[in-house]
Amino acid sequence: MELADSELLIRITELSGENLRSCYQCGKCSASCPMTDFMDLFPRDVIKQILEGKEQVLLSETPWVCASCFSCTVRCPNEIDIAGVMEAVRQIRLREKYDRFHPSRIPLDELEGLPQIALIGCFRKMTG
Amino acid sequence: MKSITYFPGCTHHTNGRNMESSGKAVLETLGYQLEEMPEWICCGTVFGLSEDDLFHQVAPIRNLARVENAGDDKLVTMCAMCYNTLGRANLLVRKDKVALEALNRFMDDEPDYHGVVDVFHLSQFLRDEVGFEKISSKVRRPLKGLKVMPYYGCLLLRPEEVSIDSMEDPTIICDILEAVGVQSIKGSYISQCCGSYHTVDKKEAVARRAFEIISSARKKGAEMIALACPLCEFNLDDRQRLLSDNGMPVLYFTELLALAFGLEDSCDFDEHYVDPRPLLREKGLLGGSNGQE
Ligand code: SF4
Ligand code: SF4
């Protein structure tokens, strides 16, 4: 008997357009990820928790550490765009008016040296 | 002189100006004049990944609509992120007519876009339009004896739909540099992320990425890293400030072309955190033919 999809899985599927149910937990995404040292959940575990409907995944650090580098995406044997799934998790939070980062947290002496491209990229990914 | 329409993006007039000035000078020597597209706006830097997030496609498509309206069908950028964002948005609207219609309706102050513009990264333009032979023919000082690891990063190669070369084994920047005499070194981290925009909110993580990429380059015998993106440049060069092992010069590949063409005045080496001049002088590649300035 197929379990019914959780609300979380339905929402993430809508936002990302990805079929997470094709994931067979091979871990290739985690193995390809350059940022795992800074993550609390491996990319594979993010996918697993979403599949299990565990809302706590929305509080994970991992989507905020993800750098949208697409290494996982291009290596997943089931063509799941994991980077897009990370974005979906971020979007759920950001659309609840949650800001992960505030410009005031950048020390003034550093702000001057930072390239625009970094600032715009960061605000696009980390603020609602 | 042929003219080509150029999209500078937010950073090549500021932190990344060395790539622009050297790239421009190199193209002029090759017979191409870069014409900045009129009224360009920021592309948004990162491609929106949510299915319902059409709003974030407005900026890239607005730019492409303006290029089309000016009668052009080709747009060249030097920035890997601009290339990726403009290129993916373009592919999206070419595939999804409903999205294109919605965007055109939204931009009712702009003539419609019809998906006709092709987006190129400068490295592609050099490979496909100019050719390695022509590049070699303009060399005045071959960069002999300089061991350089080309670094590609993410967004010129991934995802596959916009990749400018093989995703797992890219050679395009090696090939361009070899055309001017550089000995290119293949490293194992050449397409691993530099940490990207996290340089703003997690600079230690980015410094660690820089450390790993630079250490791997050194292990392979590289004396310098050459790259093609202003954000990669900042992360691999400037973030060496946070490292104790911090002497790896990082240049735009266009600066190396400029050096080989005798156009070093188009590069302001003071803009780099790690000064490449001692290495270039040691190799006799700076100033007069004996390496004296
Ligand atoms: S690589 Fe794909 S199939 Fe493998 S664990 Fe990751 S998401 Fe699942
Ligand atoms: S896109 Fe994110 S999760 Fe995937 S490999 Fe890159 S940093 Fe890791």
Side-chain angles (χ1 to χ4, degrees):
Chain A
M1 194 186 76
E2 273 282 288
L3 285 175
D5 288 351
S6 65
E7 241 174 76
L8 177 68
L9 179 56
I10 293 169
R11 187 78 188 109
I12 296 277
T13 306
E14 274 170 8
L15 279 169
S16 68
E18 299 302 309
N19 173 19
L20 275 68
R21 281 196 174 264
S22 69
C23 169
Y24 47 46
Q25 287 290 299
C26 67
K28 233 179 162 183
C29 46
S30 307
S32 307
C33 178
M35 301 297 280
T36 50
D37 281 359
F38 308 95
M39 291 173 169
D40 56 347
L41 288 177
F42 286 128
R44 169 178 65 178
D45 299 320
V46 169
I47 305 285
K48 184 162 182 270
Q49 294 205 357
I50 296 167
L51 282 166
E52 289 168 346
K54 291 193 176 143
E55 303 257 340
Q56 75 216 38
V57 75
L58 298 175
L59 301 176
S60 164
E61 286 289 307
T62 295
W64 307 102
V65 173
C66 166
S68 301
C69 79
F70 302 101
S71 293
C72 50
T73 298
V74 300
R75 293 199 176 132
C76 172
N78 293 310
E79 296 183 3
I80 299 170
D81 178 8
I82 298 114
V85 174
M86 296 292 177
E87 179 120 322
V89 177
R90 286 191 296 267
Q91 283 293 320
I92 290 178
R93 299 293 316 278
L94 295 175
R95 291 177 191 191
E96 289 164 350
K97 305 262 178 259
Y98 169 75
D99 283 331
R100 178 65 182 191
F101 187 73
H102 195 274
S104 63
R105 301 232 303 263
I106 308 171
L108 270 184
D109 55 324
E110 274 182 43
L111 185 61
E112 220 169 288
L114 284 167
Q116 287 86 340
I117 190 169
L119 293 166
I120 298 165
C122 181
F123 298 148
R124 278 281 305 274
K125 292 284 184 180
M126 318 286 269
T127 60
Chain B
M1 191 81 80
K2 280 189 213 157
S3 138
I4 47 176
T5 307
Y6 167 59
F7 182 81
C10 62
T11 302
H12 280 313
H13 284 341
T14 57
N15 299 57
R17 61 175 84 80
N18 263 348
M19 185 170 194
E20 184 177 85
S21 56
S22 57
K24 250 186 186 162
V26 162
L27 281 170
E28 270 165 35
T29 301
L30 292 164
Y32 299 87
Q33 179 83 43
L34 280 186
E35 297 287 352
E36 190 165 313
M37 70 163 273
E39 292 186 73
W40 62 271
I41 54 168
C42 172
C43 67
T45 73
V46 286
F47 181 72
L49 299 173
S50 300
E51 288 288 295
D52 62 353
D53 191 9
L54 212 48
F55 189 62
H56 277 129
Q57 310 303 342
V58 172
I61 297 304
R62 197 184 283 282
N63 281 305
L64 298 179
R66 288 178 184 174
V67 174
E68 178 179 317
N69 186 43
D72 253 314
D73 58 5
K74 210 179 261 176
L75 184 63
V76 173
T77 173
M78 299 194 193
C79 170
M81 289 180 93
C82 296
Y83 165 75
N84 192 282
T85 303
L86 294 168
R88 290 191 76 181
N90 200 27
L91 291 178
L92 178 113
V93 301
R94 280 178 179 176
K95 270 193 295 220
D96 186 344
K97 294 293 159 216
V98 179
L100 179 58
E101 253 172 56
L103 285 164
N104 279 332
R105 263 202 314 278
F106 180 81
M107 303 185 294
D108 55 3
D109 52 334
E110 208 81 54
D112 279 1
Y113 182 55
H114 300 91
V116 303
V117 178
D118 288 319
V119 180
F120 292 87
H121 185 259
L122 176 68
S123 57
Q124 275 176 306
F125 185 82
L126 288 171
R127 176 191 62 192
D128 302 339
E129 298 270 328
V130 181
F132 302 129
E133 244 170 70
K134 176 111 185 254
I135 295 172
S136 292
S137 75
K138 299 291 180 193
V139 172
R140 287 173 51 196
R141 173 171 25 209
L143 303 185
K144 289 278 179 246
L146 191 62
K147 296 190 203 105
V148 180
M149 184 185 90
Y151 171 79
Y152 294 86
C154 310
L155 297 177
L156 293 175
L157 300 173
R158 292 186 294 269
E160 192 165 19
E161 60 180 18
V162 284
S163 185
I164 63 169
D165 200 355
S166 152
M167 284 195 298
E168 296 289 349
D169 189 18
T171 62
I172 175 168
I173 298 176
C174 305
D175 296 341
I176 292 172
L177 290 177
E178 281 173 8
V180 301
V182 167
Q183 182 184 346
S184 76
I185 305 271
K186 210 169 232 173
S188 28
Y189 281 66
I190 56 174
S191 56
Q192 273 216 10
C193 184
C194 65
S196 189
Y197 47 81
H198 285 312
T199 207
V200 177
D201 68 310
K202 288 181 202 52
K203 64 178 182 214
E204 282 74 22
V206 170
R208 177 98 70 88
R209 296 302 309 140
F211 172 75
E212 282 167 10
I213 293 162
I214 290 165
S215 311
S216 105
R218 265 204 230 288
K219 265 184 229 145
K220 300 271 177 179
E223 301 162 306
M224 181 184 276
I225 292 175
L227 38 67
C229 168
L231 185 50
C232 298
E233 200 281 334
F234 181 81
N235 286 347
L236 295 191
D237 178 30
D238 208 273
R239 286 305 182 212
Q240 289 186 57
R241 266 175 221 283
L242 304 175
L243 303 176
S244 51
D245 175 15
N246 58 6
M248 175 64 85
V250 177
L251 293 188
Y252 294 108
F253 78 95
T254 50
E255 291 176 279
L256 289 174
L257 296 185
L259 262 179
F261 287 7
L263 304 167
E264 65 195 53
D265 289 349
S266 66
C267 312
D268 179 0
F269 293 123
D270 286 329
E271 294 269 311
H272 296 284
Y273 170 67
V274 178
D275 188 347
R277 283 167 294 201
L279 174 69
L280 295 172
R281 245 178 244 128
E282 180 194 315
K283 304 274 171 185
L285 300 175
L286 215 51
S289 54
N290 57 358
Q292 302 300 307
E293 280 161 277

